[in-house]
Structure formats: structure tokens, C-alpha cells
Amino acid sequence: SYILLAGIEQCISIMEKERKQLYNNFFEQNKLFEKKIKKLQYIKVLSPEKMQKEVFAFDIGKKIISVREAGMTGQELYTLLLEKYALQMEMAGQDYVTAIMTAMDGSEGYTRLAEALMEIDAELSKKRPKTESEKKHSGKPAEVTFYHRRPGL
């Protein structure tokens, strides 16, 4: 299709001219996002620091957002982010959602997602009684393991 080819050509042109600026901003926005969400208690976002030790490769643009400890499903979070915050996630799994961030996303998208997650997490902390483990480890975030490196890689 000519429309598809024109879009690809425009993308190539933008990347040739603005690649350095776009990717510098992309990496900076990801760092700021990680910093903003550090205090989440129940919702966990897969972090590059933890995962670089456990997996072969990590794409910082894919935000895997776990609700395993939150008492809700991935589909519930997906629907809440869409309907209340107008944030379209890429997909929902049983206990996570995936957000895709790119070099073309501005700071507004990162900020809106971080603020939505913090607001949802704060609401969860009001509703949810603390478990014995959480009482014992108060102030320490729960560790969530997403993937394990296969032996031999």
C-alpha cells in the first residue's frame, strides 16, 4: 500500500534527522519513569536493573506491569487504565499488562502512566489489609520474579 510505504519513508527520514535527540530523550524519560514509580507497593514494574541479571536481553520500552501482589487481574488493570486514565496498553495477561513506550513518546505519556499507577497503588493500599509478610517487612518492597534465565544461556 502506498500509504504504508509513505509512512515508512517518513519514519526513516525522521530517524535520519532526529535519531540522537529522540533516543537521548527516550532513555531520559525511562530513567525518570523508573524513579517516579519506585514507591509502588502492590503494583510492580519490571525494572532493567533486576532483569539484566536474569535475562539475556531487555527492552526498556516494554513496561511489564505486574499486579500479582495487588489483588486484581491484568485485565482489570488494563480496563481501569483505559477507561479511567485513557491509557491504552498493548496487552493484558492473567496478572500483568504490557505497555509499549517508544522514542516517539513524549514526557506526557510517561508522566500519565506513572501517575495513574501511583494513584491505583495508593487506592489498593487503602483497601487491602497487610499480610503477615508485609507487616514483617514493612517499608521494603516485595520482590516479584517475572522470568528466569535458562541454564546454558
Side-chain angles (χ1 to χ4, degrees):
S1 155
Y2 291 112
I3 295 172
L4 177 62
L5 291 175
I8 292 170
E9 285 182 23
Q10 185 177 16
C11 180
I12 290 169
S13 176
I14 289 170
M15 292 309 284
E16 285 176 345
K17 295 174 188 169
E18 302 174 37
R19 166 180 54 236
K20 189 172 184 175
Q21 179 185 355
L22 286 169
Y23 276 93
N24 284 341
N25 184 53
F26 176 64
F27 292 122
E28 185 61 30
Q29 289 302 321
N30 275 285
K31 285 180 193 174
L32 291 172
F33 178 81
E34 293 290 329
K35 193 174 185 179
K36 287 178 184 177
I37 60 162
K38 278 200 183 285
K39 293 185 179 179
L40 292 173
Q41 290 183 299
Y42 302 107
I43 297 172
K44 302 295 177 196
V45 179
L46 188 65
S47 71
E49 294 83 30
K50 180 171 174 40
M51 295 313 299
Q52 286 176 349
K53 297 172 192 166
E54 295 183 19
V55 297
F56 177 73
F58 187 84
D59 180 348
I60 64 168
K62 288 188 177 81
K63 305 296 181 201
I64 308 299
I65 305 165
S66 171
V67 290
R68 186 177 295 163
E69 305 291 322
M72 66 189 314
T73 67
Q75 187 61 52
E76 289 169 335
L77 179 62
Y78 179 96
T79 302
L80 183 60
L81 288 169
L82 181 60
E83 292 177 358
K84 184 174 180 182
Y85 300 96
L87 291 165
Q88 177 68 59
M89 298 295 102
E90 185 69 19
M91 66 168 284
Q94 181 176 346
D95 59 0
Y96 69 93
V97 298
T98 303
I100 304 289
M101 308 301 276
T102 71
M104 298 304 286
D105 288 306
S107 62
E108 180 192 357
Y110 285 93
T111 300
R112 288 180 53 227
L113 180 57
E115 288 175 356
L117 294 175
M118 290 185 295
E119 188 175 304
I120 295 166
D121 196 75
E123 286 297 315
L124 289 168
S125 69
K126 290 177 190 173
K127 294 177 183 175
R128 214 171 148 254
K130 289 191 176 193
T131 65
E132 288 304 314
S133 175
E134 289 169 332
K135 288 176 188 173
K136 190 188 272 188
H137 298 90
S138 182
K140 294 180 185 176
E143 273 201 32
V144 177
T145 303
F146 293 86
Y147 303 102
H148 292 285
R149 180 182 283 174
R150 291 189 317 219
L153 287 180

